[in-house]
Structures are given as structure tokens and as C-alpha cells.
Amino acid sequence: MTSFHRGTDACLLQARDGAAAAYDAGEADLDLYLRRLFLPLGRDGEEPIVATADPGAENVAWLGAAYPGARLVFVPRPQLIAEIRRRFDRRLTQDAIFALARETPALSAQRVVTRGQTIALGGFAAAVVVAAWRAPLAVLGALVALMSLIFTVSVLFRAMLAWLGALPKNPGTPAAQPGAADSTLPPYTIMVPLYREARVLPTLVRALRALDYPADRLQILLVVEADDLETAAAAEAMGGPFDVVRVPPSLPRTKPKAANFALRLARGEFVVIFDAEDRPEPDQLRKAVAAFRRRPRTTACLQARLAFFNCNENWLTKLFALDYDLWFGVFLPGLDRIGVPMPLGGTSNHFRTSVLRAIHAWDPFNVTEDADLGLRLAQLGYLVSMLDSTTHEEAPARLDVWIRQRSRWLKGYMQTWLVHGRSAPAVIGRVGLGGFLAFQLFIGGAVLSALVN
């Protein structure tokens, strides 16, 4: 028979320290511990001891069946999570970095250029050099013609996307109205990776508090690097509904690695990632739930539009706003309309949590992890669609910031193009010939256009 006790810090630590090693928790069940909010502590003599932060009848019944005769020690959720992390932070960190590369190395940017790609690219370059030595003018003319053709086709493809994306929606398609009753809304997790952004936290908190979603169904994770003491202290001072997740220092020090680490702690059926300066529309989460419910279960992600609240600050922010209007206003809706792989924007991506975990989430070795994730979802048979909601963020107002951002995007597009171009037959088999060509023109064409220019 299972017995029940209300735990304290001392009780939990005492139970742990006196536990028999044979009944200790193992790494293989880590996801189960996090999902069910429990942790085996060992035995007190012959009696198993299990700590849990969920005293619900269903969870108690499950634990009673899984651990017959166990003494259940009820502890606060933060204490239980802290104990799980104390034991398993190393495993959580390793999975956040290497899970994708370990399970599906062909879709990971840990190794960007494979041996086959090196041989192919090297052979092409050698052939061009030899041909140029023998007939320089002819080779130059051929290269210019080839680049011009690809550039022109890429521009025409984007023009087609702009036309399709600007068409009015099919009047027979129901809108995703956020009209569900609070009692029917699922748990939702918001993740906000932060790095050296203590100064923007008050603005972020106001934006998140303005979201129209039941507080008891909302989990907000502020994800900070453990050695970013200023941001971590500012986040913890916010109190309220915010959980601060300190990510242990490790390389690569990237946003996707931090997001992967925090994802293991997410409790929501759906999860969305925001940036520190984001200001989502208040009904965005309700709209996302409505859209997910009316779409097929294979719809794994919804991308909200991104726009800028400082677009009139100077000429650069105005150009940036025009770029985003094209990207999120017509290009991505155009890709959505023709049903081909869609690279995601860096924020306001709403996911089915179970799918995101199943595909090992973001690639910590890709600097445009969002674009990569959208294409990986398509390769694995999932759908990505646009969400009729807008998140406002801050546009770079200085040229040096813009150059660094665009350089990172271009590097990431190169990584993504190389990773997802490793096997053309495999990609065509997964997304179809049209999807493969769209990927080549939209991502490869962007890289080539930048290099040619």
C-alpha cells in the first residue's frame, strides 16, 4: 500500500542521502520524471521512497502502480525540479547540444560540409580552373550566364511568391478565431532566451503580462546563461508567473542550445519562443490554439508575422521594415499557399511540444536555427503554416548592427543549404520535386544572390 507524506527540503535531502543506490533514479527515465513531476529517491529499509510535486489523483494512481508500496513524499515543484537538475544537468546539457547530431546526423550542422560535398565542390572548382586556363573568356561567359540565369529565376520565383502571398484568402477557409472558453484551453509554454538583456526585462514582462491567456495554464520560462549574473538576477527579481531557467555554461553558447535545454522543462501542450524585445499581440496564443485545432495533426508549427515598432526611427529601420513586410507579409504566405518547405523567422514560432521534442528541436550548431528547423520539419513530414497574428520587435537602427545581423543570416543560410542539400534524391522523396526546387531557389538563391552582388 502506498503512503503519503508532505515533504520539506530537509525531508527530501534526508531521503536522498539515505537512499539505497539500487533504487536511485536513472537517466533513461529523465523525460518521464520531468513529465510526471516525480523522482525516485531510494529506499528507507525495504520501503521505496518517491518524491512528487503532482498530488493529483491520476498521477498518484500512476505512481502507486509503477512503484507498489512506495512512500510518496510531496514537495514543491521548484524544489523537485532543482533536485532533478542537480542530478541530471550534465545529461540535459549534453542532450541540448548533441541530441540532433547523435540521432539524425544527416540533418545536423555539427558537420556542415560532408566528404561527398567536399569532393563534389572541389571537383567542380578544379574543373572550372582547368577550363579557365584553357579558354578563359569562354568560361567567364559561361559562369556569368549561369549566375545570371539562376539569379533571374530566383527573382522571378520571389515575384511569384509575392503575387501569391498578396492574394486574398480563400473565402471558404475559416479564420482562427480566439473564441475558446478558458476551461478548454490547453497548457501553453512561453520560452524567452535572454543574454545580457537585463535592461529590457521590464518591457518584456509588461508585454507578456498583457497576453490574454489563463494564468493557471501558462508557463513562462526566462532562459538565461548561468554566468550572465546580471540578467539572471534581474529575471529572478521579476517574481510572479516567471520561472527562471539557468543554463549551465557550455559551448556552443547559442540561443538554440539554451532553448533546447529549457524545452525539457516545458509543461505546455504548445510552446512558443519569443525574443527579449518582442511585443506579441495579446490574443496571439488563443489564435494559435484555434489554428492548431482546425488544422491537421501534422501541422507542427505556426509562424506569426514579425514587424517593427520603431520603423520610423531612421532610414535603416524603414528599409528593414520594408524587408520584413515582404518576408512575412507575402513571401512566407506565398510558400504556405503552394505548400512547400518554409524557413521560420527567429521568433513567434508556435509548436506542438511533442513534435518539437521528437525531432530534437533546434540545431545548436546552425546560426539560423529557425530557418533550418522549418525545413527539417518539412523533410520529416510535418507542416508549417502562417498564423494571422503579429509580433512587434525592435529593428536595428545602426549600420554596424545591421551588418553583423545580415552576415550571421547569410552564414546560417549557407549552413542550411549545405545541410539540406546533402542528398537531392532523399530530399525530393520527402518534400517532392516542387519543394526541393523551392528550397533551392528561396534559400540557395538568397545565398547566390548575395555572393554574386
Side-chain angles (χ1 to χ4, degrees), residues 101-121:
R102 182 177 63 237
E103 301 299 330
T104 53
L107 297 177
S108 168
Q110 184 180 21
R111 181 179 182 182
V112 178
V113 184
T114 64
R115 182 179 180 183
Q117 288 174 314
T118 301
I119 293 173
L121 293 173

Side-chain angles (χ1 to χ4, degrees), residues 2 11 100 120-121 142 181 211 247 278 283 303 316 336 404 416 426:
T2 302
C11 177
L100 176 64
L121 293 173
L211 289 170
V247 180
D278 283 355
D283 63 350
Q303 169 70 68
L316 183 59
D336 189 9
R404 286 197 300 271
T416 301

